[in-house]
Amino acid sequence: MSLEKVMTKRVVTIGADASLAEVQRIFAAKLFHHLLVVENDQLVGMVSDRDLLKALSPNLGTASETRRDTATLNKKVHQIMTRQLWVLTQDDDIYDAISLMNQQKISCLPVIDQHRKPIGILSWRDILRLLSQGKAKRDRRFDAYHQPLQHRDDII
């Protein structure tokens, strides 16, 4: 099965010069864990919510917060993003993606076109959703073919 059928096609991107405060706002507003970093519509990196947590001061939002802690929000995405990415195209196979994710111990893969423009992202959630849909379909087929026998007094 090709990635085109499985990947999340709604891609959220950010520029390399965006602040970590902007990244924090996006992660707080959305229910995902990775932002693709683009320059001139080409993928140049990725930032995860874990990258952000490591880069920000643990004192942010606490009573002991200082100006120096707040200044960590002014850092730029290019300072913390992952630059060396494993990527796939929408025509690649889901099993190759799973194998790559396991080998490299990564939780998502950007999906790009021939110009390195991000067109999707594949995460473990996408793979689990696919498996869950397959199981639900299999269960429906099983239930349709294996109906319990009805007790009827007129049989016998």
Side-chain angles (χ1 to χ4, degrees):
M1 176 180 293
S2 72
L3 295 184
E4 181 181 21
K5 297 176 182 175
V6 184
M7 70 184 186
T8 298
K9 294 177 181 167
R10 192 188 102 231
V11 180
V12 179
T13 62
I14 195 161
D17 288 327
S19 71
L20 297 191
E22 187 174 345
V23 172
Q24 185 181 47
R25 278 192 299 277
I26 292 170
F27 280 145
K30 306 292 181 189
L31 296 175
F32 55 84
H33 305 279
H34 299 88
L35 273 175
L36 300 181
V37 183
V38 294
E39 286 182 354
N40 301 320
D41 286 335
Q42 290 189 335
L43 181 67
V44 295
M46 184 166 44
V47 176
S48 72
D49 55 354
R50 287 172 288 183
D51 295 330
L52 180 66
L53 286 173
K54 284 190 251 176
L56 296 179
S57 169
N59 294 328
L60 280 174
T62 68
S64 59
E65 178 181 290
T66 66
R67 233 185 288 185
R68 186 175 180 171
D69 299 320
T70 308
T72 61
L73 289 168
N74 295 325
K75 285 185 182 178
K76 302 297 180 187
V77 169
H78 67 85
Q79 293 176 282
I80 70 163
M81 71 182 190
T82 301
R83 294 172 190 274
Q84 294 180 339
L85 301 176
W86 294 96
V87 298
L88 294 173
T89 69
Q90 66 183 359
D91 297 325
D92 285 319
D93 185 77
I94 185 68
Y95 296 105
D96 294 332
I98 292 169
S99 178
L100 182 59
M101 291 169 90
N102 279 326
Q103 288 171 2
Q104 299 303 320
K105 295 177 177 55
I106 53 179
S107 59
C108 78
L109 287 164
V111 182
I112 59 171
D113 68 10
Q114 65 273 18
H115 305 291
R116 282 194 67 83
K117 180 180 180 179
I119 57 171
I121 191 165
L122 179 76
S123 72
W124 279 112
R125 286 183 189 209
D126 298 315
I127 295 166
L128 292 173
R129 184 179 64 245
L130 175 68
L131 291 172
S132 178
Q133 290 169 351
K135 181 178 181 337
K137 201 180 289 185
R138 190 183 73 213
D139 289 349
R140 283 192 301 275
R141 280 196 309 261
F142 180 84
D143 291 345
Y145 292 117
H146 298 89
Q147 295 295 320
L149 292 174
Q150 300 291 325
H151 176 67
R152 292 183 44 195
D153 290 335
D154 59 343
I155 302 177
I156 302 181

